Amino acid sequence: MKAPVISSWFRTGDVTAPPDIESAALRSDRFRLEREGDWRRLEDILSRMERGSLRRITDEELLELPTLYRTAASSLSVARETSLDRATLDYLESLVQRAWFQVYGPRQGLFTWLRGFFLGGWSRAVREIWLDVCIALFAMVAGTIVGWLLVSRETEWYYRLVPTQFLDTRVPGASREELLQSLSVQENAQGLSTFAASLFSNNAGVAIMAFALGFAFGIPSILLLIHNMAVLGAMMWLFAGQGLELNFAAWLSVHGTTELFAILLAGAAGLHIGRSMAFPGNRSVLDAASESGRRSALVMTGVVIMMVVAAFLEAFPRQLIGGMGERFAIGGTLLVFWVIYFFVFNPPDRGGAE
């Protein structure tokens, strides 16, 4: 056995890298050299865009930007698969993220989006689903008629349709005075804020259900609209039996013109998605659902706002204003406002709120 040479322990010569490490380093260098030109060009364009120097970017560079982004993303994918060095991966991940925000990222702030939403985007989305609005309106009218006819033929249907929360004095056989008392005003506004919050929660639940069930080809949304309006038809029958149909309509109109309009739009938005999935046309089902989903989401954003307004109206003006004329004036004004806003107000599309 050969004895070790002690002097070799203190030798300061170069350490030879193992063959596999050397091969990986060469592969990484070759990969970088072959693509680094495109990366640097993309980085140069991004740096100028991030500094706000858009005037210094030519049309050719803007057209070239998506191609350079896809090239960098492809390079990142290859780098991850081949386990290249950490520095190359970090550089490519940062470069691809910056490029994504410039190519696909949002280009407008919250206030710009809100301005586009209220000044045309919301009403435009509602008009684009006009057919579904008509179908949902037909279902709601039919539900009201069905509710009225059912309870007029058999009183027991009233207890099956109307929720227990409305079965205080508002039941078949109640006197005219008892029904009038249920439509009366409160003496002060104490506790009405909590009442408004609970009303918003309940109404929003109905609207969200009407929207969410639309994914099952819209059929559950139609059934839900019919059921909810059957409750209204049954209660209209009850008050009409005592000659209080106008009083009930005035009481309901204060918040109902906003609340029922919101439920109508929610049902139409859900039906729009279900109908586009059932009849996608030349598009794939996924593309049709995606396109209608974006449009319906815009409508539903407005529905939430309408529900907040309806809860406020139901909790305060409806409980504090007792005159039939005043109640009709509030409800009628809001109904006219919503109709004009959605179907008459049509500013030019400036590309916001999409």
Side-chain angles (χ1 to χ4, degrees):
M1 180 176 179
K2 186 177 180 181
V5 180
I6 298 177
S7 60
S8 64
W9 297 354
F10 303 98
R11 189 174 298 166
T12 57
D14 296 337
V15 177
T16 304
D20 53 343
I21 297 179
E22 183 178 6
S23 174
L26 290 173
R27 188 170 65 247
S28 178
D29 289 342
R30 192 182 310 117
F31 179 82
R32 175 190 287 272
L33 289 173
E34 290 175 352
R35 297 165 175 82
E36 195 169 18
D38 290 338
W39 303 347
R40 295 297 182 191
R41 181 163 177 75
L42 176 61
E43 185 177 15
D44 176 59
I45 297 174
L46 292 176
S47 299
R48 280 181 283 158
M49 294 181 72
E50 290 167 349
R51 288 196 301 267
S53 305
L54 296 178
R55 293 182 179 178
R56 298 182 179 179
I57 299 175
T58 64
D59 293 342
E60 290 75 14
E61 289 175 329
L62 285 177
L63 292 173
E64 195 179 6
L65 184 61
T67 304
L68 292 174
Y69 163 71
R70 287 192 290 271
T71 301
S74 174
S75 299
L76 177 61
S77 177
V78 174
R80 284 171 173 166
E81 290 292 331
T82 55
S83 302
L84 295 182
D85 61 275
R86 186 70 253 176
T88 303
L89 283 174
D90 291 343
Y91 171 77
L92 285 175
E93 286 177 351
S94 173
L95 184 65
V96 170
Q97 287 179 359
R98 291 167 59 196
W100 185 90
F101 278 107
Q102 293 298 334
V103 176
Y104 300 110
R107 302 191 180 282
Q108 55 184 357
L110 175 62
F111 292 104
T112 303
W113 184 87
L114 286 174
R115 185 175 59 187
F117 175 75
F118 286 111
L119 298 180
W122 182 15
S123 59
R124 193 176 304 111
V126 170
R127 286 193 298 276
E128 288 174 350
I129 62 170
W130 66 270
L131 179 58
D132 307 283
V133 172
C134 292
I135 297 173
L137 179 61
F138 176 79
M140 293 177 73
V141 173
T144 306
I145 296 173
V146 168
W148 179 296
L149 293 177
L150 285 175
V151 295
S152 65
R153 293 174 180 272
E154 178 57 55
T155 309
E156 288 299 317
W157 274 105
Y158 187 88
Y159 298 97
R160 298 177 185 175
L161 292 175
V162 179
T164 54
Q165 66 196 65
F166 298 137
L167 297 179
D168 38 24
T169 59
R170 292 169 287 187
V171 294
S175 66
R176 177 184 174 86
E177 289 71 24
E178 289 175 326
L179 293 179
L180 266 179
Q181 181 63 31
S182 68
L183 305 179
S184 61
V185 299
Q186 295 195 13
E187 295 180 356
N188 55 59
Q190 186 176 6
L192 293 183
S193 298
T194 306
F195 184 46
S198 67
L199 291 174
F200 171 74
S201 176
N202 178 69
N203 298 336
V206 174
I208 291 173
M209 284 291 292
F211 169 70
L213 293 176
F215 286 92
F217 301 108
I219 296 175
S221 294
I222 294 177
L223 295 178
L224 183 65
L225 292 177
I226 292 175
H227 174 264
N228 276 278
M229 296 308 293
V231 176
L232 177 62
M235 297 192 72
M236 289 178 66
W237 167 84
L238 176 68
F239 282 89
Q242 295 292 349
L244 298 173
E245 59 271 17
L246 288 180
N247 302 70
F248 178 73
W251 175 83
L252 179 66
S253 69
V254 175
H255 71 285
T257 50
T258 300
E259 179 182 315
L260 295 178
F261 214 136
I263 293 175
L264 167 69
L265 296 182
L271 184 61
H272 182 62
I273 296 177
R275 192 171 60 82
S276 66
M277 293 172 64
F279 306 101
N282 297 327
R283 304 165 295 177
S284 67
V285 174
L286 188 61
D287 290 341
S290 175
E291 182 181 339
S292 59
R294 288 194 296 271
R295 192 176 298 122
S296 297
L298 205 59
V299 175
M300 284 302 295
T301 303
V303 167
V304 174
I305 296 172
M306 294 179 73
M307 282 300 178
V308 174
V309 175
F312 173 80
L313 292 170
E314 187 171 2
F316 291 99
R318 196 194 72 178
Q319 303 296 330
L320 300 175
I321 299 174
M324 190 164 63
E326 290 87 344
R327 285 175 168 176
F328 268 132
I330 296 173
T333 301
L334 285 165
L335 178 60
V336 171
F337 170 77
W338 293 124
V339 170
I340 292 176
Y341 177 74
F342 288 127
F343 302 109
V344 179
F345 178 62
N346 187 20
D349 184 5
R350 300 185 185 280
E354 295 295 344

